[in-house]
Amino acid sequence: MAYQKVANTNDLPTGRGLCVQVDGIDIGLFRVGEKIYAMENRCPHADDPLSEGTLEGTIVTCRAHGWQFDVRTGFRPEDGDGFPIPRFKVRTTGNTIEIDLQSSPDENR
Ligand code: FES
């Protein structure tokens, strides 16, 4: 487990995500209430950055062609059996947001 500082909570906008780069990978950070989610920032349709989409509740809508993804799971809401966007564990310490690129939120380690 190797958490890296990526942003401050004050950096996160409302209604869309924030792109940060870690080890050459673009990561989209999304705030839903008090919780922050991290997933690869690349729409699988045609690579548009999902952080530039519209975030409503837990659903981000890609600005390019309207595909939607649940930031909690990485899945399209209507296609829970498809391939999810890779997600990463997030933790906050005070205002500092850290993510662990080595682990998914689904893992218990
Ligand atoms: S690039 Fe995201 S919907 Fe087309």
Side-chain angles (χ1 to χ4, degrees):
M1 200 175 327
Y3 280 95
Q4 301 179 60
K5 178 184 175 186
V6 294
N8 289 316
T9 55
N10 297 336
D11 298 335
L12 277 176
T14 301
R16 66 181 185 85
L18 174 72
C19 180
V20 296
Q21 202 173 57
V22 182
D23 296 344
I25 300 171
D26 285 346
I27 309 290
L29 300 176
F30 302 91
R31 185 206 324 255
V32 178
E34 295 300 310
K35 224 163 148 60
I36 297 168
Y37 298 91
M39 63 185 192
E40 277 191 15
N41 197 32
R42 192 165 55 88
C43 180
H45 179 229
D47 294 344
D48 209 66
L50 289 169
S51 62
E52 297 296 322
T54 303
L55 180 66
E56 292 178 290
T58 62
I59 304 297
V60 62
T61 302
C62 181
R63 68 178 178 176
H65 313 99
W67 283 25
Q68 294 185 313
F69 300 90
D70 190 321
V71 298
R72 296 171 302 178
T73 63
F75 282 109
R76 300 187 70 190
E78 71 280 11
D79 186 18
D81 293 331
F83 294 100
I85 296 174
R87 295 167 299 121
F88 307 101
K89 280 188 175 175
V90 179
R91 75 180 181 191
T92 54
T93 306
N95 286 340
T96 300
I97 303 170
E98 299 175 311
I99 67 171
D100 181 357
L101 275 190
Q102 312 299 313
S103 64
S104 150
D106 301 325
E107 298 169 8
N108 288 322
R109 55 179 187 133

